[in-house]
Amino acid sequence: MTEPATGVVDAAILDTSEAEERTEPAWGAVVSLALGVFGLVTAEFLPASLLTRLAQDLGVSEGAAGQAVTATAVVGAIAAPTMAIITKRLDRRLVMWILSVLLIVSNLVAAFASSLTMLLLARVVLGVALGGFWSMSAAMALRLVPMRLMPRAMSIILTGVSVATVTAAPVGAYVGDVWGWRTAFMIAAVVGGLALLVQLATLPSLPPTAVASFRTLVEVLKRPMIRVALLVVLLVASGQFAGFTYVRPFLETVPVMPIQTISLVLLAYGIGGFFGNFAGAFLAERNLKMAVGLAPLLIALSAAALLVLGASPISAAVAVTAWGFAFGAVPVGLQTWLVRAAPDQAESAGGLMVATFQVAIALGAIVGGLLVDHAGVATAFAYSGVATLFAALVAFLMGPKQAAQ
């Protein structure tokens, strides 16, 4: 792996090696980060499952209410690369506590929102918490466990994403229907409070180890392996969201599934992602290049299977489940790759990854929407397959070397 001109990476790797000899894994703290991620992703997904009732209550259109999701994504993309800079002098434990408090405040403001403006303000606050937490989680994990256990720690943290992906939308829809959409946000605030309590009890003091700046972001971006990793992130995420965003209309029109069956298939996608997360960690601990290459390759094969065999409900269901398994394995390998490529500036690397991911989500949604509107839903899956196949090729040909550990 190419190193920067300075000797900072050498020193950082030596520090990490020394830490591996003397530091026991802080698994309780890692679990507390998983709870924080679960609370953040749950809150992020809630508007989608509550949109109709929320819009009616606030007296706005569903399209206007849907901007609650956009606001979070945009602010998250800005907060991710800048959070380490803004908080460069603060203990990282304190920063995580503050971000968890912002999560709670966001849900409470949303629960008591009396206008769209108030709701959007709540979602802006959530975007700050989401972008900051995501960008710093890998760097935190690097300091809580030895480097060799980094994939396992990231897998535990990302379990929060998997569980939230499976449960947030259906539980939010149910609670919103029975007790009202405000209750759903109140429950999300309680979840954030529980995560904060566990973090208060388990996170050790973690003084900042490197002073981040905008210059640091540029320097990290100059590292060849970082640029390659971000290219893979861009290809995978744009391919994922260009295709999978339109999986429901595909299942409705090609294998002609009823809504009950589609719900079960999407549940299988979420469960597949849950197990894919652990499979990604297992493989990343043994062969990081294979972990970051095989996951997008499996997404490409799943998209191809939908295009070729998608008329069969069974084949379509298997392909969607495999897709979920593959995408569940993606973040573990990519986060581990970036941290190993910039161990001295892990927070800046994490911020760049989150920002790139958010840009890729927007790019994928735009490309997918244009293809669906002008050439049919199948073309969105074709783009998804091509983009993720290129991501796999880049990972295999230019990806991380095991010697990086």
Side-chain angles (χ1 to χ4, degrees):
M1 182 176 298
T2 303
E3 299 176 4
T6 67
V8 181
V9 173
D10 291 332
I13 293 174
L14 287 173
D15 290 344
T16 304
S17 178
E18 292 169 3
E20 185 152 352
E21 293 176 1
R22 67 172 183 265
T23 305
E24 289 294 323
W27 292 120
V30 172
V31 170
S32 77
L33 297 181
L35 290 173
V37 168
F38 172 74
L40 286 162
V41 176
T42 297
E44 184 182 20
F45 286 174
L46 275 183
S49 61
L50 304 169
L51 203 59
T52 302
R53 288 180 174 271
L54 187 153
Q56 291 173 349
D57 196 20
L58 295 181
V60 297
S61 68
E62 291 184 5
Q67 299 312 304
V69 177
T70 306
T72 302
V74 171
V75 175
I78 297 171
T82 57
M83 184 57 63
I85 299 171
I86 296 171
T87 63
K88 59 186 178 182
R89 303 293 182 187
L90 296 180
D91 189 302
R92 305 342 255 164
R93 173 176 65 178
L94 177 60
V95 174
M96 300 309 266
W97 290 348
I98 292 172
L99 294 175
S100 294
V101 169
L102 291 179
L103 166 63
I104 298 168
V105 170
S106 168
N107 285 313
L108 290 176
V109 173
F112 292 100
S114 57
S115 65
L116 178 61
T117 301
M118 194 171 176
L119 177 66
L120 291 177
L121 175 62
R123 303 301 291 181
V124 166
V125 173
L126 178 64
V128 173
L130 187 73
F133 206 103
W134 268 124
S135 67
M136 302 181 71
S137 59
M140 292 280 289
L142 180 64
R143 301 180 65 184
L144 294 172
V145 302
M147 177 68 89
R148 62 184 172 81
L149 297 176
M150 177 69 183
R152 195 176 308 176
M154 286 310 305
S155 175
I156 292 173
I157 293 172
L158 293 168
T159 299
V161 179
S162 301
V163 175
T165 301
V166 174
T167 62
V171 172
Y174 176 79
V175 170
D177 187 59
V178 176
W179 292 297
W181 64 271
R182 298 181 188 275
T183 303
F185 281 107
M186 289 295 294
I187 293 174
V190 172
V191 171
L194 292 174
L196 177 60
L197 289 175
V198 178
Q199 290 166 17
L200 289 169
T202 61
L203 282 177
S205 178
L206 298 169
T209 56
V211 178
S213 65
F214 288 106
R215 180 180 177 183
T216 302
L217 287 174
V218 175
E219 290 175 349
V220 171
L221 194 56
K222 288 180 180 178
R223 303 183 187 184
M225 290 305 291
I226 292 292
R227 293 200 298 270
V228 173
L230 294 180
L231 175 60
V232 173
V233 171
L234 188 67
L235 289 169
V236 171
S238 67
Q240 164 74 15
F241 289 93
F244 200 78
T245 301
Y246 304 97
V247 70
R248 177 170 173 173
F250 179 89
L251 295 176
E252 288 174 335
T253 57
V254 179
V256 195
M257 292 181 178
I259 185 61
Q260 296 85 352
T261 305
I262 292 175
S263 298
L264 290 175
V265 171
L266 294 179
L267 177 62
Y269 170 88
I271 294 173
F274 179 83
F275 288 104
N277 174 36
F278 291 106
F282 178 85
L283 187 56
E285 287 184 3
R286 289 154 180 81
N287 191 320
L288 185 54
K289 178 176 287 191
M290 293 296 289
V292 297
L294 285 178
L297 179 60
L298 183 54
I299 294 177
L301 292 174
S302 300
L306 285 172
L307 289 173
V308 176
L309 306 172
S312 164
I314 295 177
S315 298
V318 172
V320 170
T321 304
W323 192 324
F325 179 86
F327 190 66
V330 165
V332 180
L334 288 175
Q335 289 268 29
T336 304
W337 180 2
L338 279 157
V339 167
R340 289 184 181 175
D344 56 314
Q345 293 293 346
E347 292 178 359
S348 294
L352 288 171
M353 176 181 172
V354 175
T356 303
F357 207 93
Q358 295 294 331
V359 170
I361 290 174
L363 176 64
I366 292 171
V367 171
L370 290 173
L371 289 173
V372 169
D373 288 345
H374 295 92
V377 69
T379 58
F381 287 92
Y383 170 82
S384 180
V386 171
T388 50
L389 178 60
F390 273 114
L393 291 174
V394 171
F396 284 129
L397 295 175
M398 306 172 65
K401 300 175 177 63
Q402 285 302 101
Q405 184 168 332

